[in-house]
Amino acid sequence: MSKLRIGLSTVFMLMLLSIFSAVAFAEDGVPPTSTNPAPGIHVGDVDNFGNQSTHRTHGNFQNNTNSCANCHSTHNGEDEMLLMKDGEYELCMSCHDGTMGFYDVTKGSGAGTFDDSHLSSSMHNVDSDLLVKQAPGAVKNTSTDILECSSCHNPHGSANDRLLKETVIGTTPFAYNPTTLVSVPVGTKTINLALTEDPDYVAINTLTGGGLKITKSIGPKDSLDKQYYSQFCSACHDDYYGKRSSGRPSNATKTDTHDYLFSHTTNSTSQGRNCAACHYAHGTDVTTLTDALGQKVADLTKPVADGGKYGWTEEKAEAYMKDVSVKGSSLKKYTNMAICFACHATSITNQIDPKYIGPDGRFIGRGLIR
């Protein structure tokens, strides 16, 4: 009997060892699978209807899943929502600070950065008690909700790219129509971003084939997508949305109807101009700001021997790129008002004395021809 017990124990231990070795083999990345695309990342990829899910860690949870436990603790939650961390920001950043999630929101991306360690930093401050109604340009927006990650993103999944919410403070995007605006039903993808495979994850994207893809984005894709994107932002920043000649909500409180009447069009389907043309969604600092030629600090400091154009010191590059606006950088993509040159280069350059234009086409001084 004792021999039998020893035999069973040995078999049991061998089974455990085989399981652990299989897991280790998978986590070493040889090769990754749709449910284990990288070390420590385990996800479900089939929803309750047997369909391949589009958002693994977030959303499309199966009725046999343990994915809820990625964020919630059944018995030891830190708050009333049973979150694993005490606070929404802390929970999101436990993955999205570059330690686990593929999308590190502390480094520059298509959405900007939440990193405030550099000059000219400004962010959607989701780590504070800032109220949604305190958004710049908020006139109709009177929401007393606290601004958090979930103010813009749905952690449980969304039809939109990047888990962007389909309804923001009770407002849904509208479909473009020549004569009217029609509310888009929830479940319809309205935030369609220009997603491309992230070159930092070529190995994983290649091995997963048509499954999980790690992507990067430069913002909304086509002109109509840009209009929807601006509608999304204007749910909170309502006074900044509209055609430049159509007036703004704040006009209703003005005695002079010309006050704040004109602005850059943000809802043009023909031109496709939108908020993301000038602003980042998350935030900005001196490392993400660019000049009119799209150059960043990293481009300016790249050694000439390595193919760089300037080889400037970090100090010189940051001094050049620093936004000097008294009101702050306001999530801007371009430093100071470099966006004017980026968009209106021809019309502005034609008014500048040629001696103030450098050999690379950059404006190097003050000399507008009167």
Side-chain angles (χ1 to χ4, degrees):
M1 181 65 71
S2 61
K3 290 183 179 180
L4 180 59
R5 272 200 298 269
I6 292 173
L8 289 174
S9 298
T10 302
V11 170
F12 181 66
M13 288 302 295
L14 288 172
M15 289 174 63
L16 286 177
L17 285 172
S18 66
I19 292 173
F20 290 139
S21 63
V23 172
F25 182 81
E27 291 196 344
D28 283 339
V30 188
T33 65
S34 60
T35 57
N36 181 17
I41 308 295
H42 298 280
V43 292
D45 66 349
V46 179
D47 65 18
N48 289 336
F49 303 101
N51 299 318
Q52 193 83 12
S53 66
T54 53
H55 301 299
R56 271 71 175 185
T57 304
H58 297 283
N60 280 337
F61 298 141
Q62 303 100 311
N63 55 23
N64 65 343
T65 188
N66 191 41
S67 297
C68 304
N70 290 331
C71 298
H72 300 276
S73 175
T74 308
H75 298 294
N76 298 300
E78 293 284 345
D79 68 1
E80 67 275 11
M81 301 302 292
L82 301 182
L83 295 178
M84 300 282 279
K85 298 288 183 179
D86 185 14
E88 184 176 306
Y89 176 79
E90 288 73 16
L91 177 71
C92 297
M93 292 300 287
S94 67
C95 285
H96 293 289
D97 60 354
T99 56
M100 286 188 65
F102 290 111
Y103 301 111
D104 181 358
V105 298
T106 65
K107 70 176 184 180
S109 68
T113 180
F114 279 123
D115 187 0
D116 61 355
S117 64
H118 294 87
L119 296 169
S120 303
S121 64
S122 64
M123 297 170 289
H124 269 112
N125 200 346
V126 290
D127 185 24
S128 71
D129 292 327
L130 189 69
L131 300 182
V132 173
K133 70 176 182 180
Q134 293 176 273
V139 177
K140 295 180 179 179
N141 164 23
T142 58
S143 173
T144 56
D145 292 339
I146 293 176
L147 179 67
E148 298 184 282
C149 303
S150 62
S151 297
C152 294
H153 299 277
N154 185 344
H156 292 145
S158 167
N160 290 329
D161 286 337
R162 292 294 190 257
L163 302 180
L164 288 170
K165 295 180 74 170
E166 296 162 68
T167 300
V168 182
I169 60 171
T171 301
T172 57
F174 296 93
Y176 175 75
N177 185 291
T179 58
T180 185
L181 294 176
V182 181
S183 183
V184 175
V186 172
T188 303
K189 180 176 181 178
T190 54
I191 307 299
N192 185 34
L193 303 177
L195 300 175
T196 58
E197 292 187 23
D198 194 324
D200 291 338
Y201 295 98
V202 171
I204 290 177
N205 285 340
T206 300
L207 289 168
T208 56
L212 177 65
K213 294 291 183 184
I214 312 305
T215 59
K216 59 187 305 183
S217 170
I218 58 172
K221 191 174 182 181
D222 300 317
S223 60
L224 190 57
D225 301 318
K226 293 173 182 178
Q227 184 194 42
Y228 287 144
Y229 191 90
S230 291
Q231 290 174 353
F232 182 93
C233 298
S234 69
C236 298
H237 306 275
D238 52 85
D239 202 31
Y240 297 154
Y241 178 74
K243 296 181 178 180
R244 61 184 178 182
S245 60
S246 62
R248 296 158 66 171
S250 57
N251 286 349
T253 63
K254 306 292 183 181
T255 55
D256 183 352
T257 56
H258 287 84
D259 285 349
Y260 300 102
L261 181 60
F262 296 99
S263 66
H264 279 89
T265 303
T266 57
N267 67 347
S268 169
T269 56
S270 59
Q271 297 179 14
R273 190 183 297 116
N274 73 108
C275 309
C278 302
H279 301 275
Y280 284 115
H282 286 171
T284 193
D285 65 15
V286 76
T287 66
T288 59
L289 288 167
T290 71
D291 64 10
L293 298 181
Q295 301 172 127
K296 297 185 177 182
V297 166
D299 300 310
L300 301 172
T301 57
K302 186 176 181 180
V304 176
D306 295 335
K309 288 179 65 176
Y310 310 103
W312 287 359
T313 64
E314 193 80 18
E315 183 180 16
K316 181 178 180 180
E318 290 191 356
Y320 164 78
M321 199 65 70
K322 178 183 176 182
D323 191 292
V324 297
S325 172
V326 176
K327 294 184 179 180
S329 48
S330 304
L331 310 185
K332 287 189 295 188
K333 288 186 173 182
Y334 292 83
T335 186
N336 297 302
M337 296 307 292
I339 183 64
C340 300
F341 283 87
C343 290
H344 303 281
T346 302
S347 59
I348 292 179
T349 303
N350 287 341
Q351 302 178 56
I352 299 176
D353 191 318
K355 70 181 180 182
Y356 292 104
I357 302 296
D360 58 358
R362 288 175 51 237
F363 179 49
I364 56 176
R366 301 179 186 279
L368 290 176
I369 299 174
R370 301 299 179 186

